[in-house]
Amino acid sequence: MSVSSLAFPACWNCGAPPGGGHFCVGCGKIQPLDPASGYFAFFGLPEKLNLDAADLDRRYLALSWKLHPDNFVRAEEFERNLSLDRSSVLNDAYRVLRDPVSRAEYLLARHGVRKEGQTKQQAPPELLEEVFELNESLEELRAARRSGDAAESVALARSLETAGRNFQAKLGEVDSELAGAFGEWDAALDRSAGEDDRARLMARMNEILNRRSYIRNLVAGVTQELGEAPGE
Amino acid sequence: MAYSEKVIDHYNNPRNVGSMPKEDPKVGTGMVGAPECGDVMRLQIRVNPETQVIEDAKFKTFGCGSAIASSSLATEWVKGRTVEDALSIKNTDIVRELALPPVKIHCSVLAEDAIKAAIGDWKRKQGAEESQASAAAAPAED
Ligand code: FES
């Protein structure tokens, strides 16, 4: 699935065969973006999930400098537009790849594993139960704070803190599970693992990410609630 | 986001919010979640064992307006239907009734899944009932 294997037109300026890069290998002119190439290829990276953040930052800075519309003020409008296109994709790609969770979500979406409204897979019932209960205590705390019942509010805040710590710990567990799956995915790419192996790994990452979204939601809810002083 | 009038109505006056004793053999509880957003929904039904008719339904949803409206509507729709009939309710019916936009389809899926899960739980209980005919009285809990 490398970029160069995709049928894409020759250079618009000199007719050199497509190299898949941002600029023509023959004449150096900026090239239109191949919509199929994706964010990893944009940075010249393989679709690996353990990514060196400092390396990504360097690539981002180098590219933003090279693709910047300021470099094209005297060029044709066509080239200027290409530079604008590439600069905006650059920023999207950087934002998505920089964060490990959105990076994994992107990879799964790109391979059709994660689709809006189609995730039929249910989280384990104990987790949903727990998520539900914590949501209920959050709701109680909000109500108690609104009604100004100070004593109850203090007790609730304390139990929320405990719950929040538990969920923070759970989030940590899920994240290390995810990190393990990242390692397996990268190793699978290294040994050119078959479709089945990859599909199995992606399904597992999808399941981990689903669990993560409930927990993250709760951690955020607890943080927000505890962050607001009572009566505010 | 512009919600339809029906969504707003259900959101402001949700029908059948609440809970029923989970241990009651006549009650089925469906607990489901949407991994896209981390929202959760609980829908419960009370079934008449003779007629298999759903006599009451309650829900509680921690989620967006569309999820609240979908589950509120779902409780209205299942009431008075037989269990088998209630299984035929599709999320697309909810989407149509509430005029949900495409990005809110997963919220209606949640409601359909909740109905199915509640009925599944009730059916499991019926199976368990038969196997242990001398079931103890349900503990009072809410
Ligand atoms: S956005 Fe999560 S259920 Fe609607």
PDB file of all heavy atoms in Angstrom, chain A residues 58-89:
ATOM      1  N   ARG A  58       9.925  17.347  14.045  1.00  0.00           N
ATOM      2  CA  ARG A  58      10.927  17.808  13.069  1.00  0.00           C
ATOM      3  C   ARG A  58      10.367  17.765  11.652  1.00  0.00           C
ATOM      4  O   ARG A  58      10.519  18.705  10.880  1.00  0.00           O
ATOM      5  CB  ARG A  58      12.179  16.931  13.155  1.00  0.00           C
ATOM      6  CG  ARG A  58      13.229  17.440  14.142  1.00  0.00           C
ATOM      7  CD  ARG A  58      14.562  16.725  13.958  1.00  0.00           C
ATOM      8  NE  ARG A  58      14.459  15.281  14.136  1.00  0.00           N
ATOM      9  CZ  ARG A  58      14.497  14.671  15.330  1.00  0.00           C
ATOM     10  NH1 ARG A  58      14.638  15.378  16.438  1.00  0.00           N
ATOM     11  NH2 ARG A  58      14.398  13.359  15.406  1.00  0.00           N
ATOM     12  N   ARG A  59       9.714  16.638  11.335  1.00  0.00           N
ATOM     13  CA  ARG A  59       9.142  16.505   9.993  1.00  0.00           C
ATOM     14  C   ARG A  59       8.082  17.572   9.748  1.00  0.00           C
ATOM     15  O   ARG A  59       7.985  18.142   8.662  1.00  0.00           O
ATOM     16  CB  ARG A  59       8.511  15.119   9.806  1.00  0.00           C
ATOM     17  CG  ARG A  59       9.542  14.005   9.653  1.00  0.00           C
ATOM     18  CD  ARG A  59       8.877  12.636   9.712  1.00  0.00           C
ATOM     19  NE  ARG A  59       9.871  11.592   9.877  1.00  0.00           N
ATOM     20  CZ  ARG A  59      10.301  10.806   8.877  1.00  0.00           C
ATOM     21  NH1 ARG A  59       9.784  10.946   7.677  1.00  0.00           N
ATOM     22  NH2 ARG A  59      11.227   9.905   9.084  1.00  0.00           N
ATOM     23  N   TYR A  60       7.302  17.834  10.795  1.00  0.00           N
ATOM     24  CA  TYR A  60       6.250  18.829  10.671  1.00  0.00           C
ATOM     25  C   TYR A  60       6.841  20.212  10.399  1.00  0.00           C
ATOM     26  O   TYR A  60       6.402  20.923   9.497  1.00  0.00           O
ATOM     27  CB  TYR A  60       5.400  18.844  11.949  1.00  0.00           C
ATOM     28  CG  TYR A  60       4.441  19.997  12.028  1.00  0.00           C
ATOM     29  CD1 TYR A  60       3.308  20.029  11.220  1.00  0.00           C
ATOM     30  CD2 TYR A  60       4.676  21.073  12.881  1.00  0.00           C
ATOM     31  CE1 TYR A  60       2.422  21.093  11.274  1.00  0.00           C
ATOM     32  CE2 TYR A  60       3.802  22.145  12.941  1.00  0.00           C
ATOM     33  CZ  TYR A  60       2.681  22.148  12.144  1.00  0.00           C
ATOM     34  OH  TYR A  60       1.826  23.206  12.189  1.00  0.00           O
ATOM     35  N   LEU A  61       7.855  20.556  11.171  1.00  0.00           N
ATOM     36  CA  LEU A  61       8.452  21.875  10.996  1.00  0.00           C
ATOM     37  C   LEU A  61       9.098  22.027   9.627  1.00  0.00           C
ATOM     38  O   LEU A  61       8.921  23.043   8.947  1.00  0.00           O
ATOM     39  CB  LEU A  61       9.491  22.135  12.097  1.00  0.00           C
ATOM     40  CG  LEU A  61       8.878  22.429  13.460  1.00  0.00           C
ATOM     41  CD1 LEU A  61       9.957  22.534  14.532  1.00  0.00           C
ATOM     42  CD2 LEU A  61       8.044  23.724  13.406  1.00  0.00           C
ATOM     43  N   ALA A  62       9.821  20.977   9.207  1.00  0.00           N
ATOM     44  CA  ALA A  62      10.482  21.034   7.906  1.00  0.00           C
ATOM     45  C   ALA A  62       9.444  21.202   6.796  1.00  0.00           C
ATOM     46  O   ALA A  62       9.605  22.039   5.895  1.00  0.00           O
ATOM     47  CB  ALA A  62      11.303  19.768   7.679  1.00  0.00           C
ATOM     48  N   LEU A  63       8.351  20.436   6.899  1.00  0.00           N
ATOM     49  CA  LEU A  63       7.335  20.505   5.857  1.00  0.00           C
ATOM     50  C   LEU A  63       6.579  21.832   5.897  1.00  0.00           C
ATOM     51  O   LEU A  63       6.248  22.393   4.853  1.00  0.00           O
ATOM     52  CB  LEU A  63       6.346  19.343   5.990  1.00  0.00           C
ATOM     53  CG  LEU A  63       6.821  17.992   5.445  1.00  0.00           C
ATOM     54  CD1 LEU A  63       5.794  16.911   5.755  1.00  0.00           C
ATOM     55  CD2 LEU A  63       7.053  18.080   3.930  1.00  0.00           C
ATOM     56  N   SER A  64       6.300  22.328   7.093  1.00  0.00           N
ATOM     57  CA  SER A  64       5.530  23.569   7.117  1.00  0.00           C
ATOM     58  C   SER A  64       6.340  24.704   6.518  1.00  0.00           C
ATOM     59  O   SER A  64       5.792  25.600   5.877  1.00  0.00           O
ATOM     60  CB  SER A  64       5.008  23.910   8.510  1.00  0.00           C
ATOM     61  OG  SER A  64       5.986  23.729   9.465  1.00  0.00           O
ATOM     62  N   TRP A  65       7.637  24.618   6.694  1.00  0.00           N
ATOM     63  CA  TRP A  65       8.504  25.618   6.089  1.00  0.00           C
ATOM     64  C   TRP A  65       8.499  25.472   4.559  1.00  0.00           C
ATOM     65  O   TRP A  65       8.331  26.435   3.819  1.00  0.00           O
ATOM     66  CB  TRP A  65       9.914  25.448   6.657  1.00  0.00           C
ATOM     67  CG  TRP A  65      10.880  26.489   6.195  1.00  0.00           C
ATOM     68  CD1 TRP A  65      10.935  27.780   6.605  1.00  0.00           C
ATOM     69  CD2 TRP A  65      11.911  26.307   5.230  1.00  0.00           C
ATOM     70  NE1 TRP A  65      11.948  28.426   5.942  1.00  0.00           N
ATOM     71  CE2 TRP A  65      12.564  27.554   5.108  1.00  0.00           C
ATOM     72  CE3 TRP A  65      12.357  25.232   4.460  1.00  0.00           C
ATOM     73  CZ2 TRP A  65      13.633  27.743   4.225  1.00  0.00           C
ATOM     74  CZ3 TRP A  65      13.416  25.418   3.600  1.00  0.00           C
ATOM     75  CH2 TRP A  65      14.043  26.667   3.489  1.00  0.00           C
ATOM     76  N   LYS A  66       8.644  24.235   4.074  1.00  0.00           N
ATOM     77  CA  LYS A  66       8.715  23.989   2.623  1.00  0.00           C
ATOM     78  C   LYS A  66       7.399  24.260   1.904  1.00  0.00           C
ATOM     79  O   LYS A  66       7.376  24.692   0.763  1.00  0.00           O
ATOM     80  CB  LYS A  66       9.086  22.527   2.361  1.00  0.00           C
ATOM     81  CG  LYS A  66      10.556  22.224   2.512  1.00  0.00           C
ATOM     82  CD  LYS A  66      10.839  20.884   1.851  1.00  0.00           C
ATOM     83  CE  LYS A  66      11.991  20.175   2.538  1.00  0.00           C
ATOM     84  NZ  LYS A  66      12.019  18.750   2.233  1.00  0.00           N
ATOM     85  N   LEU A  67       6.282  23.939   2.595  1.00  0.00           N
ATOM     86  CA  LEU A  67       4.987  24.028   1.918  1.00  0.00           C
ATOM     87  C   LEU A  67       4.308  25.374   2.128  1.00  0.00           C
ATOM     88  O   LEU A  67       3.247  25.639   1.569  1.00  0.00           O
ATOM     89  CB  LEU A  67       4.052  22.916   2.441  1.00  0.00           C
ATOM     90  CG  LEU A  67       4.501  21.477   2.193  1.00  0.00           C
ATOM     91  CD1 LEU A  67       3.587  20.507   2.933  1.00  0.00           C
ATOM     92  CD2 LEU A  67       4.513  21.155   0.701  1.00  0.00           C
ATOM     93  N   HIS A  68       4.914  26.214   2.933  1.00  0.00           N
ATOM     94  CA  HIS A  68       4.253  27.456   3.327  1.00  0.00           C
ATOM     95  C   HIS A  68       3.878  28.333   2.129  1.00  0.00           C
ATOM     96  O   HIS A  68       4.699  28.559   1.238  1.00  0.00           O
ATOM     97  CB  HIS A  68       5.145  28.256   4.272  1.00  0.00           C
ATOM     98  CG  HIS A  68       4.361  29.235   5.075  1.00  0.00           C
ATOM     99  ND1 HIS A  68       3.916  30.428   4.550  1.00  0.00           N
ATOM    100  CD2 HIS A  68       3.886  29.177   6.342  1.00  0.00           C
ATOM    101  CE1 HIS A  68       3.217  31.073   5.469  1.00  0.00           C
ATOM    102  NE2 HIS A  68       3.185  30.335   6.560  1.00  0.00           N
ATOM    103  N   PRO A  69       2.638  28.816   2.114  1.00  0.00           N
ATOM    104  CA  PRO A  69       2.183  29.650   0.983  1.00  0.00           C
ATOM    105  C   PRO A  69       3.094  30.861   0.717  1.00  0.00           C
ATOM    106  O   PRO A  69       3.167  31.337  -0.417  1.00  0.00           O
ATOM    107  CB  PRO A  69       0.785  30.095   1.412  1.00  0.00           C
ATOM    108  CG  PRO A  69       0.323  29.042   2.370  1.00  0.00           C
ATOM    109  CD  PRO A  69       1.550  28.532   3.065  1.00  0.00           C
ATOM    110  N   ASP A  70       3.800  31.341   1.713  1.00  0.00           N
ATOM    111  CA  ASP A  70       4.705  32.470   1.499  1.00  0.00           C
ATOM    112  C   ASP A  70       5.774  32.163   0.450  1.00  0.00           C
ATOM    113  O   ASP A  70       6.287  33.069  -0.215  1.00  0.00           O
ATOM    114  CB  ASP A  70       5.418  32.846   2.807  1.00  0.00           C
ATOM    115  CG  ASP A  70       4.511  33.651   3.717  1.00  0.00           C
ATOM    116  OD1 ASP A  70       3.368  33.933   3.288  1.00  0.00           O
ATOM    117  OD2 ASP A  70       4.938  33.995   4.834  1.00  0.00           O
ATOM    118  N   ASN A  71       6.113  30.868   0.339  1.00  0.00           N
ATOM    119  CA  ASN A  71       7.116  30.485  -0.663  1.00  0.00           C
ATOM    120  C   ASN A  71       6.563  30.546  -2.076  1.00  0.00           C
ATOM    121  O   ASN A  71       7.288  30.359  -3.035  1.00  0.00           O
ATOM    122  CB  ASN A  71       7.601  29.044  -0.421  1.00  0.00           C
ATOM    123  CG  ASN A  71       8.229  28.883   0.952  1.00  0.00           C
ATOM    124  OD1 ASN A  71       8.749  29.848   1.496  1.00  0.00           O
ATOM    125  ND2 ASN A  71       8.160  27.680   1.497  1.00  0.00           N
ATOM    126  N   PHE A  72       5.253  30.741  -2.185  1.00  0.00           N
ATOM    127  CA  PHE A  72       4.628  30.644  -3.508  1.00  0.00           C
ATOM    128  C   PHE A  72       3.963  31.951  -3.926  1.00  0.00           C
ATOM    129  O   PHE A  72       3.127  31.964  -4.793  1.00  0.00           O
ATOM    130  CB  PHE A  72       3.602  29.498  -3.506  1.00  0.00           C
ATOM    131  CG  PHE A  72       4.230  28.152  -3.231  1.00  0.00           C
ATOM    132  CD1 PHE A  72       4.431  27.708  -1.931  1.00  0.00           C
ATOM    133  CD2 PHE A  72       4.648  27.347  -4.287  1.00  0.00           C
ATOM    134  CE1 PHE A  72       5.024  26.485  -1.679  1.00  0.00           C
ATOM    135  CE2 PHE A  72       5.241  26.110  -4.038  1.00  0.00           C
ATOM    136  CZ  PHE A  72       5.427  25.676  -2.730  1.00  0.00           C
ATOM    137  N   VAL A  73       4.344  33.042  -3.308  1.00  0.00           N
ATOM    138  CA  VAL A  73       3.682  34.309  -3.637  1.00  0.00           C
ATOM    139  C   VAL A  73       3.922  34.702  -5.083  1.00  0.00           C
ATOM    140  O   VAL A  73       3.056  35.306  -5.720  1.00  0.00           O
ATOM    141  CB  VAL A  73       4.090  35.481  -2.709  1.00  0.00           C
ATOM    142  CG1 VAL A  73       3.312  35.429  -1.423  1.00  0.00           C
ATOM    143  CG2 VAL A  73       5.581  35.484  -2.457  1.00  0.00           C
ATOM    144  N   ARG A  74       5.070  34.336  -5.614  1.00  0.00           N
ATOM    145  CA  ARG A  74       5.354  34.716  -7.005  1.00  0.00           C
ATOM    146  C   ARG A  74       5.037  33.586  -7.980  1.00  0.00           C
ATOM    147  O   ARG A  74       5.255  33.721  -9.180  1.00  0.00           O
ATOM    148  CB  ARG A  74       6.820  35.140  -7.147  1.00  0.00           C
ATOM    149  CG  ARG A  74       6.965  36.653  -7.011  1.00  0.00           C
ATOM    150  CD  ARG A  74       8.382  37.091  -7.308  1.00  0.00           C
ATOM    151  NE  ARG A  74       9.278  36.691  -6.211  1.00  0.00           N
ATOM    152  CZ  ARG A  74       9.645  37.518  -5.237  1.00  0.00           C
ATOM    153  NH1 ARG A  74       9.238  38.764  -5.233  1.00  0.00           N
ATOM    154  NH2 ARG A  74      10.439  37.113  -4.279  1.00  0.00           N
ATOM    155  N   ALA A  75       4.538  32.458  -7.472  1.00  0.00           N
ATOM    156  CA  ALA A  75       4.230  31.319  -8.346  1.00  0.00           C
ATOM    157  C   ALA A  75       2.841  31.467  -8.961  1.00  0.00           C
ATOM    158  O   ALA A  75       2.092  32.400  -8.633  1.00  0.00           O
ATOM    159  CB  ALA A  75       4.311  30.023  -7.549  1.00  0.00           C
ATOM    160  N   GLU A  76       2.510  30.557  -9.863  1.00  0.00           N
ATOM    161  CA  GLU A  76       1.177  30.530 -10.462  1.00  0.00           C
ATOM    162  C   GLU A  76       0.130  30.310  -9.361  1.00  0.00           C
ATOM    163  O   GLU A  76       0.421  29.690  -8.348  1.00  0.00           O
ATOM    164  CB  GLU A  76       1.060  29.358 -11.457  1.00  0.00           C
ATOM    165  CG  GLU A  76       2.052  29.378 -12.589  1.00  0.00           C
ATOM    166  CD  GLU A  76       1.715  30.457 -13.613  1.00  0.00           C
ATOM    167  OE1 GLU A  76       0.501  30.721 -13.788  1.00  0.00           O
ATOM    168  OE2 GLU A  76       2.646  31.036 -14.187  1.00  0.00           O
ATOM    169  N   GLU A  77      -1.095  30.738  -9.653  1.00  0.00           N
ATOM    170  CA  GLU A  77      -2.166  30.540  -8.689  1.00  0.00           C
ATOM    171  C   GLU A  77      -2.351  29.052  -8.406  1.00  0.00           C
ATOM    172  O   GLU A  77      -2.592  28.634  -7.268  1.00  0.00           O
ATOM    173  CB  GLU A  77      -3.463  31.137  -9.237  1.00  0.00           C
ATOM    174  CG  GLU A  77      -4.507  31.243  -8.162  1.00  0.00           C
ATOM    175  CD  GLU A  77      -5.873  31.655  -8.688  1.00  0.00           C
ATOM    176  OE1 GLU A  77      -5.949  32.158  -9.822  1.00  0.00           O
ATOM    177  OE2 GLU A  77      -6.849  31.440  -7.953  1.00  0.00           O
ATOM    178  N   PHE A  78      -2.217  28.237  -9.447  1.00  0.00           N
ATOM    179  CA  PHE A  78      -2.338  26.790  -9.325  1.00  0.00           C
ATOM    180  C   PHE A  78      -1.379  26.238  -8.259  1.00  0.00           C
ATOM    181  O   PHE A  78      -1.773  25.480  -7.376  1.00  0.00           O
ATOM    182  CB  PHE A  78      -2.050  26.180 -10.711  1.00  0.00           C
ATOM    183  CG  PHE A  78      -2.001  24.672 -10.718  1.00  0.00           C
ATOM    184  CD1 PHE A  78      -3.146  23.922 -10.454  1.00  0.00           C
ATOM    185  CD2 PHE A  78      -0.818  23.999 -11.021  1.00  0.00           C
ATOM    186  CE1 PHE A  78      -3.105  22.537 -10.486  1.00  0.00           C
ATOM    187  CE2 PHE A  78      -0.774  22.620 -11.051  1.00  0.00           C
ATOM    188  CZ  PHE A  78      -1.916  21.885 -10.776  1.00  0.00           C
ATOM    189  N   GLU A  79      -0.141  26.686  -8.347  1.00  0.00           N
ATOM    190  CA  GLU A  79       0.849  26.208  -7.374  1.00  0.00           C
ATOM    191  C   GLU A  79       0.560  26.741  -5.978  1.00  0.00           C
ATOM    192  O   GLU A  79       0.748  26.045  -4.983  1.00  0.00           O
ATOM    193  CB  GLU A  79       2.257  26.653  -7.789  1.00  0.00           C
ATOM    194  CG  GLU A  79       2.800  25.878  -8.961  1.00  0.00           C
ATOM    195  CD  GLU A  79       4.153  26.428  -9.395  1.00  0.00           C
ATOM    196  OE1 GLU A  79       5.133  26.210  -8.667  1.00  0.00           O
ATOM    197  OE2 GLU A  79       4.204  27.095 -10.449  1.00  0.00           O
ATOM    198  N   ARG A  80       0.094  27.982  -5.942  1.00  0.00           N
ATOM    199  CA  ARG A  80      -0.232  28.581  -4.652  1.00  0.00           C
ATOM    200  C   ARG A  80      -1.347  27.770  -3.967  1.00  0.00           C
ATOM    201  O   ARG A  80      -1.310  27.509  -2.776  1.00  0.00           O
ATOM    202  CB  ARG A  80      -0.650  30.034  -4.842  1.00  0.00           C
ATOM    203  CG  ARG A  80      -0.206  30.893  -3.707  1.00  0.00           C
ATOM    204  CD  ARG A  80      -0.264  32.390  -3.952  1.00  0.00           C
ATOM    205  NE  ARG A  80      -1.281  32.842  -4.873  1.00  0.00           N
ATOM    206  CZ  ARG A  80      -1.018  33.428  -6.058  1.00  0.00           C
ATOM    207  NH1 ARG A  80       0.217  33.618  -6.442  1.00  0.00           N
ATOM    208  NH2 ARG A  80      -2.003  33.822  -6.838  1.00  0.00           N
ATOM    209  N   ASN A  81      -2.332  27.370  -4.804  1.00  0.00           N
ATOM    210  CA  ASN A  81      -3.422  26.569  -4.241  1.00  0.00           C
ATOM    211  C   ASN A  81      -2.943  25.210  -3.738  1.00  0.00           C
ATOM    212  O   ASN A  81      -3.399  24.725  -2.709  1.00  0.00           O
ATOM    213  CB  ASN A  81      -4.536  26.382  -5.271  1.00  0.00           C
ATOM    214  CG  ASN A  81      -5.340  27.658  -5.448  1.00  0.00           C
ATOM    215  OD1 ASN A  81      -5.340  28.522  -4.557  1.00  0.00           O
ATOM    216  ND2 ASN A  81      -5.992  27.801  -6.584  1.00  0.00           N
ATOM    217  N   LEU A  82      -1.996  24.635  -4.499  1.00  0.00           N
ATOM    218  CA  LEU A  82      -1.447  23.351  -4.045  1.00  0.00           C
ATOM    219  C   LEU A  82      -0.752  23.522  -2.699  1.00  0.00           C
ATOM    220  O   LEU A  82      -0.847  22.672  -1.810  1.00  0.00           O
ATOM    221  CB  LEU A  82      -0.457  22.786  -5.058  1.00  0.00           C
ATOM    222  CG  LEU A  82      -1.035  22.332  -6.405  1.00  0.00           C
ATOM    223  CD1 LEU A  82       0.075  21.775  -7.302  1.00  0.00           C
ATOM    224  CD2 LEU A  82      -2.111  21.285  -6.199  1.00  0.00           C
ATOM    225  N   SER A  83      -0.073  24.624  -2.552  1.00  0.00           N
ATOM    226  CA  SER A  83       0.628  24.863  -1.297  1.00  0.00           C
ATOM    227  C   SER A  83      -0.364  25.073  -0.153  1.00  0.00           C
ATOM    228  O   SER A  83      -0.154  24.596   0.967  1.00  0.00           O
ATOM    229  CB  SER A  83       1.575  26.056  -1.454  1.00  0.00           C
ATOM    230  OG  SER A  83       1.295  27.072  -0.525  1.00  0.00           O
ATOM    231  N   LEU A  84      -1.476  25.746  -0.468  1.00  0.00           N
ATOM    232  CA  LEU A  84      -2.514  25.913   0.563  1.00  0.00           C
ATOM    233  C   LEU A  84      -3.120  24.568   0.939  1.00  0.00           C
ATOM    234  O   LEU A  84      -3.282  24.253   2.124  1.00  0.00           O
ATOM    235  CB  LEU A  84      -3.621  26.846   0.049  1.00  0.00           C
ATOM    236  CG  LEU A  84      -3.271  28.327   0.032  1.00  0.00           C
ATOM    237  CD1 LEU A  84      -4.326  29.115  -0.741  1.00  0.00           C
ATOM    238  CD2 LEU A  84      -3.143  28.863   1.450  1.00  0.00           C
ATOM    239  N   ASP A  85      -3.431  23.739  -0.083  1.00  0.00           N
ATOM    240  CA  ASP A  85      -3.988  22.406   0.178  1.00  0.00           C
ATOM    241  C   ASP A  85      -3.066  21.607   1.075  1.00  0.00           C
ATOM    242  O   ASP A  85      -3.470  21.052   2.091  1.00  0.00           O
ATOM    243  CB  ASP A  85      -4.126  21.596  -1.124  1.00  0.00           C
ATOM    244  CG  ASP A  85      -5.274  22.086  -1.980  1.00  0.00           C
ATOM    245  OD1 ASP A  85      -6.031  22.942  -1.483  1.00  0.00           O
ATOM    246  OD2 ASP A  85      -5.397  21.620  -3.125  1.00  0.00           O
ATOM    247  N   ARG A  86      -1.822  21.556   0.655  1.00  0.00           N
ATOM    248  CA  ARG A  86      -0.881  20.720   1.404  1.00  0.00           C
ATOM    249  C   ARG A  86      -0.639  21.258   2.803  1.00  0.00           C
ATOM    250  O   ARG A  86      -0.459  20.494   3.741  1.00  0.00           O
ATOM    251  CB  ARG A  86       0.437  20.572   0.635  1.00  0.00           C
ATOM    252  CG  ARG A  86       0.329  19.579  -0.518  1.00  0.00           C
ATOM    253  CD  ARG A  86       1.687  19.150  -1.035  1.00  0.00           C
ATOM    254  NE  ARG A  86       1.547  18.186  -2.125  1.00  0.00           N
ATOM    255  CZ  ARG A  86       1.604  16.863  -1.963  1.00  0.00           C
ATOM    256  NH1 ARG A  86       1.839  16.350  -0.772  1.00  0.00           N
ATOM    257  NH2 ARG A  86       1.442  16.064  -2.991  1.00  0.00           N
ATOM    258  N   SER A  87      -0.630  22.583   2.930  1.00  0.00           N
ATOM    259  CA  SER A  87      -0.410  23.146   4.263  1.00  0.00           C
ATOM    260  C   SER A  87      -1.572  22.800   5.190  1.00  0.00           C
ATOM    261  O   SER A  87      -1.364  22.527   6.375  1.00  0.00           O
ATOM    262  CB  SER A  87      -0.260  24.662   4.200  1.00  0.00           C
ATOM    263  OG  SER A  87       0.879  24.985   3.440  1.00  0.00           O
ATOM    264  N   SER A  88      -2.786  22.809   4.652  1.00  0.00           N
ATOM    265  CA  SER A  88      -3.907  22.530   5.554  1.00  0.00           C
ATOM    266  C   SER A  88      -3.949  21.044   5.915  1.00  0.00           C
ATOM    267  O   SER A  88      -4.225  20.690   7.058  1.00  0.00           O
ATOM    268  CB  SER A  88      -5.228  23.060   4.988  1.00  0.00           C
ATOM    269  OG  SER A  88      -5.881  22.082   4.244  1.00  0.00           O
ATOM    270  N   VAL A  89      -3.629  20.168   4.927  1.00  0.00           N
ATOM    271  CA  VAL A  89      -3.553  18.737   5.262  1.00  0.00           C
ATOM    272  C   VAL A  89      -2.433  18.498   6.262  1.00  0.00           C
ATOM    273  O   VAL A  89      -2.574  17.702   7.197  1.00  0.00           O
ATOM    274  CB  VAL A  89      -3.345  17.882   3.997  1.00  0.00           C
ATOM    275  CG1 VAL A  89      -3.084  16.419   4.366  1.00  0.00           C
ATOM    276  CG2 VAL A  89      -4.562  17.977   3.093  1.00  0.00           C
TER     277      VAL A  89
END
